Amino acid sequence: MNLNRKKIFSFCLAMQICVVLSAQDFSAARLFSSADAPGMDAVLGAAYNAYGDGDYESALFLFRRALTDRQIQSDSVLYMTIMAGMHSGEYKAAYADTEYFLATYPNSEYAPLVKYQAARALFCLGDYDNSLIVLGDFCHENPENMMYASALFLIGECFYAEYAFDEAEPFYAQIVGEYPDSAKVADAQYRLDAINARKREAKLLALLKETGENYFSSKESYEKILRRYELENSLGGARRAQDEGLGHSPDDADLFVFDGTDIEFEENLKMRDEMSSESRKKPDFEAELIRLKNSAMEAQILLDNEMEGK
């Protein structure tokens, strides 16, 4: 009987100990939970500090760590995470973050800026077509946004990257003409100068090609006339030799009648008789080349004057 009482007493004591330990564990858990939020706030503060110092990789890591706390998750922190990713060159991950942002916070004040960053990420990934689509939506929906001029510049860059210079030029010109205070004005003007230089180069190449074609055409004509000139001289010498062999004098050359046996010789003489007096004179090919070169120089001067006028 005493043994049973001892067992009951031991069991009750053990239950009391378990209750005390459970209460201590619960109290410790509450203490840890209350300390957890300030800890994540410190992480978030460190993330902002790293971003401000230009240490974007560290900022990206810290922002992502802070976002694991539901109490810290917000559109502003996620936007900063996207910006840190863009600055770090993590374009694929940043674009994924923009998609999540727009799906989670479609009405956020940061939504237009996030859409612009999505277009930037696509551009940096080389997906120019989809970047143009996103930029088109951004410009249509946010004509008064502070990033509008930057979006126009990025549209121009998409076309420029695809060598579509004629399509890119109006966007650069719009920035220079309509947004003189934009940070993209200098870059847009640089692109315009590069496009104009390419146009000038294309015109010059076309001119040189035309000049070269004229050169080869003149050369071919010169060589053809020269061959005919040499043929005429050789035929004239052959005829004189034949006239002398038959006892004809030079004055009787026009009275000479072929017997038709040497057909080739007769045709050659006929060709000679059909030549114009102009073709019998050796052309001044060097003068022709000089003329063509002068034409090219005059065209270059006209191009230079045209570019300076702009």
Side-chain angles (χ1 to χ4, degrees):
M1 188 70 178
N2 292 333
L3 182 61
N4 291 333
R5 288 181 178 178
K6 289 182 179 180
K7 287 182 179 180
I8 293 173
F9 178 77
S10 300
F11 176 77
C12 292
L13 181 61
M15 289 298 296
Q16 289 178 355
I17 293 173
C18 288
V19 171
V20 172
L21 290 176
S22 297
Q24 290 178 347
D25 290 341
F26 179 74
S27 178
R30 290 186 59 186
L31 179 62
F32 178 79
S33 177
S34 63
D36 184 56
M40 282 302 176
D41 286 340
V43 171
L44 184 61
Y48 279 110
N49 290 334
Y51 188 93
D53 293 338
D55 186 2
Y56 301 114
E57 293 183 358
S58 297
L60 178 61
F61 172 78
L62 293 171
F63 277 127
R64 291 198 182 283
R65 182 179 176 188
L67 284 173
T68 60
D69 188 339
R70 291 183 177 275
Q71 295 181 357
I72 292 180
Q73 291 178 6
S74 65
D75 56 348
S76 60
V77 176
L78 184 54
Y79 175 72
M80 293 304 299
T81 304
I82 293 170
M83 294 302 299
M86 291 297 296
H87 284 297
S88 299
E90 299 290 339
Y91 304 121
K92 190 173 182 179
Y95 178 71
D97 288 337
T98 63
E99 288 188 313
Y100 176 77
F101 184 104
L102 295 173
T104 307
Y105 308 105
N107 299 320
S108 169
E109 61 179 326
Y110 299 104
L113 300 177
V114 170
K115 182 168 286 189
Y116 172 76
Q117 294 302 327
R120 278 191 62 214
L122 289 170
F123 174 83
C124 294
L125 291 171
D127 191 352
Y128 306 123
D129 292 339
N130 284 320
S131 181
L132 284 171
I133 293 173
V134 177
L135 287 167
D137 292 340
F138 172 85
C139 291
H140 177 72
E141 298 169 359
N142 307 280
E144 303 299 327
N145 191 276
M146 62 180 180
M147 300 303 295
Y148 188 84
S150 296
L152 292 177
F153 180 79
L154 194 55
I155 291 174
E157 290 291 275
C158 288
F159 285 120
Y160 194 93
E162 295 283 5
Y163 303 99
F165 304 120
D166 291 338
E167 288 78 2
E169 185 176 11
F171 294 97
Y172 297 134
Q174 184 178 357
I175 295 169
V176 174
E178 299 180 14
Y179 300 94
D181 297 330
S182 171
K184 294 296 183 180
V185 168
D187 293 333
Q189 186 61 58
Y190 176 81
R191 288 299 196 203
L192 286 174
D193 293 341
I195 291 173
N196 289 330
R198 286 178 178 274
K199 287 184 177 180
R200 177 185 174 190
E201 185 177 313
K203 289 181 180 179
L204 183 57
L205 289 174
L207 177 63
L208 291 175
K209 181 180 179 181
E210 181 180 356
T211 304
E213 290 175 351
N214 291 337
Y215 164 78
F216 287 113
S217 177
S218 299
K219 182 180 180 182
E220 182 179 357
S221 299
Y222 165 75
E223 292 175 347
K224 183 177 180 181
I225 294 172
L226 184 60
R227 286 195 299 269
R228 295 178 67 184
Y229 177 81
E230 293 174 349
L231 177 61
E232 179 188 358
N233 287 340
S234 63
L235 290 177
R239 182 167 184 176
R240 284 194 300 272
Q242 186 174 12
D243 288 344
E244 292 175 359
L246 295 175
H248 295 289
S249 64
D251 295 335
D252 297 331
D254 293 334
L255 302 176
F256 181 76
V257 179
F258 292 103
D259 57 5
T261 56
D262 193 344
I263 297 176
E264 181 180 356
F265 186 70
E266 182 179 358
E267 290 179 350
N268 289 335
L269 287 180
K270 185 177 179 181
M271 181 186 299
R272 185 202 67 174
D273 294 335
E274 292 175 351
M275 291 181 181
S276 64
S277 59
E278 183 178 353
S279 66
R280 292 174 184 175
K281 299 178 182 180
K282 187 174 181 179
D284 191 352
F285 185 56
E286 295 298 330
E288 178 67 13
L289 288 180
I290 293 174
R291 185 186 68 79
L292 292 174
K293 291 180 180 179
N294 289 335
S295 297
M297 292 177 63
E298 292 175 0
Q300 179 62 50
I301 292 173
L302 290 175
L303 285 174
D304 293 339
N305 292 337
E306 181 181 354
M307 297 303 296
E308 291 177 359
K310 291 182 179 181

